Amino acid sequence: MDPLKPQLPEISPEDRTPLVDVLLELLAWQQKQIDALEQEILKLKGETTKSKLKPSKMDKDPAEDGDKDDRDSSKKKKKGPTGQSTG
């Protein structure tokens, strides 16, 4: 929350007239607009407020990745300088 933003005081039910209700709705709508515009500014600047990081796969069991036999993946053939397989 922005420390410069003023806080609305609690309005008792007897003080809530139809005009006060409309003004409170207007304030809520304006805040939504401000939030949307701030998000758009960040998007245009190339910044994001939400992280788009994928979950880590380090703790994941290798069998879940479809590599049921790790021996095959370690026997990859390397190509030599002529483009022929050396393994």
Side-chain angles (χ1 to χ4, degrees):
M1 178 175 244
D2 188 2
L4 299 176
K5 181 180 173 185
Q7 295 293 316
L8 283 176
E10 189 65 36
I11 301 172
S12 65
E14 56 268 0
D15 289 337
R16 288 184 76 133
T17 64
L19 177 61
V20 171
D21 287 338
V22 168
L23 291 174
L24 288 173
E25 288 178 22
L26 179 64
L27 287 173
W29 177 81
Q30 286 178 336
Q31 188 59 51
K32 286 181 186 178
Q33 292 297 109
I34 290 169
D35 292 340
L37 291 171
E38 286 175 343
Q39 292 296 317
E40 186 175 349
I41 289 169
L42 290 175
K43 181 181 174 184
L44 292 172
K45 284 184 174 180
E47 301 172 10
T48 58
T49 57
K50 294 183 181 178
S51 175
K52 293 187 179 183
L53 298 177
K54 294 182 180 180
S56 173
K57 294 183 180 181
M58 290 182 67
D59 296 334
K60 199 171 185 182
D61 187 13
E64 293 177 14
D65 290 340
D67 292 336
K68 293 181 181 177
D69 191 10
D70 287 337
R71 290 178 283 145
D72 291 340
S73 63
S74 64
K75 291 184 177 181
K76 292 184 179 179
K77 297 181 178 181
K78 296 180 184 178
K79 292 189 176 186
T82 59
Q84 296 178 348
S85 177
T86 61

